Amino acid sequence: MERATNNIKDPKVRAYFEAVTDGKKPTEKLSAKEYEEGITQFDLGLKQALGEADDLILRARLGEMPEAISFSYIARKYFGKSRAWLMQKVNGNTVNGKTAQFTDSERQQFREALQDISRKLSALAVTI
């Protein structure tokens, strides 16, 4: 997983924020403008890191479910996409140089798809 400071372009500003996040006293002094730009870029990096962490947690929670249920069906029925698209999101594959991640709305849609399938399986189990 990448550091939240990786988005900070200016090496001096990056060094400052890396020191702070490592619990060290920064050796660099920043102007107010440098600090503000660093905070903006750090915030973006933090959001990306949190998205990556959410995806890692999702993959761990899914466990063997991709083998047990049809992700092709879920991708097609609930997203109108291919199984490959869904698996890229689930596995965090690199696509066009970027890590594939669920957006918040896609994550909610995936959650609702799994809940819908759960209800259908439960109803079927009762009739068997």
Side-chain angles (χ1 to χ4, degrees):
M1 196 158 61
E2 292 192 27
R3 290 184 67 146
T5 55
N6 286 359
N7 283 341
I8 301 174
K9 314 245 183 302
D10 185 316
K12 175 183 165 187
V13 176
R14 180 183 291 164
Y16 177 91
F17 281 93
E18 284 179 351
V20 170
T21 58
D22 290 342
K24 299 175 184 171
K25 184 176 181 185
T27 57
E28 304 287 337
K29 296 267 187 188
L30 300 181
S31 68
K33 183 179 180 190
E34 289 172 324
Y35 185 80
E36 185 177 328
E37 288 174 2
I39 286 290
T40 300
Q41 293 167 2
F42 182 80
D43 184 54
L44 177 62
L46 191 55
K47 287 176 182 171
Q48 289 174 341
L50 288 172
E52 288 178 29
D54 284 345
D55 288 346
L56 288 171
I57 292 167
L58 172 66
R59 282 193 288 283
R61 287 183 177 157
L62 284 174
E64 63 186 32
M65 290 312 299
E67 297 171 29
I69 60 176
S70 172
F71 272 42
S72 178
Y73 171 81
I74 293 171
R76 189 178 58 256
K77 177 166 173 70
Y78 297 96
F79 292 96
K81 304 281 186 174
S82 68
R83 181 183 190 279
W85 175 87
L86 181 58
M87 294 311 296
Q88 288 170 348
K89 299 277 185 165
V90 167
N91 293 324
N93 295 352
T94 301
V95 180
N96 297 325
K98 295 177 75 179
T99 302
Q101 293 180 319
F102 283 107
T103 64
D104 289 342
S105 63
E106 289 169 342
R107 184 178 301 279
Q108 179 63 30
Q109 192 172 356
F110 188 53
R111 182 180 302 115
E112 290 170 2
L114 292 174
Q115 289 169 340
D116 186 45
I117 291 169
S118 173
R119 285 188 295 273
K120 290 176 181 178
L121 286 172
S122 294
L124 176 62
V126 169
T127 65
I128 295 176

